[in-house]
Amino acid sequence: MVYAVVRAGGRQEKVEVGTIVTMDRIKADKDGNVQLAAVLLVDGENITSDAKSLAKVTVTAEVLNDLRGPKIVIQKFKNKTGYKKRQGHRQELTRVKVTGIK
């Protein structure tokens, strides 16, 4: 069983080949593929966490689609001053499928 922990948009995700991950928006190359930086690699009983060894590891993923996350509402209110503010936000996301860990 081979899996890796990759850095994906400011967070870390555990991925295997075939895993679908939603992360912050990233740009793909012309073929629709991206490279993800590995933080940890587990290959059976061998665990690799050395930065020099992980530089040789490539985790490739195929971009499935770009989407937007759920809307969140930010509200600020101060009592007795008449101040209130309302703001919304939707995060830009990308859904990718891991195609290879080498």
Side-chain angles (χ1 to χ4, degrees):
M1 176 164 176
V2 178
Y3 68 89
V5 176
V6 296
R7 192 173 306 120
R11 291 179 284 285
Q12 293 179 356
E13 298 280 343
K14 177 185 170 187
V15 297
E16 298 175 6
V17 174
T19 304
I20 296 175
V21 180
T22 303
M23 63 182 74
D24 288 342
R25 181 73 53 98
I26 54 175
K27 294 214 182 237
D29 62 4
K30 61 181 174 167
D31 298 327
N33 296 325
V34 293
Q35 299 277 337
L36 301 174
V39 178
L40 178 78
L41 177 68
V42 177
D43 185 10
E45 294 182 9
N46 300 329
I47 299 173
T48 305
S49 62
D50 181 32
K52 188 175 181 181
S53 300
L54 288 173
K56 300 172 187 172
V57 175
T58 59
V59 179
T60 57
E62 170 191 0
V63 173
L64 298 177
N65 60 344
D66 291 330
L67 59 138
R68 297 182 75 192
K71 185 167 189 170
I72 61 169
V73 177
I74 301 135
Q75 290 185 337
K76 296 180 181 180
F77 174 79
K78 291 191 179 178
N79 196 13
K80 300 178 188 169
T81 60
Y83 172 78
K84 57 186 172 182
K85 181 178 180 181
R86 186 173 179 195
Q87 181 179 358
H89 176 76
R90 290 185 73 182
Q91 187 68 29
E92 302 284 328
L93 302 172
T94 300
R95 183 169 286 140
V96 299
K97 181 178 182 179
V98 177
T99 57
I101 300 173
K102 296 178 186 174

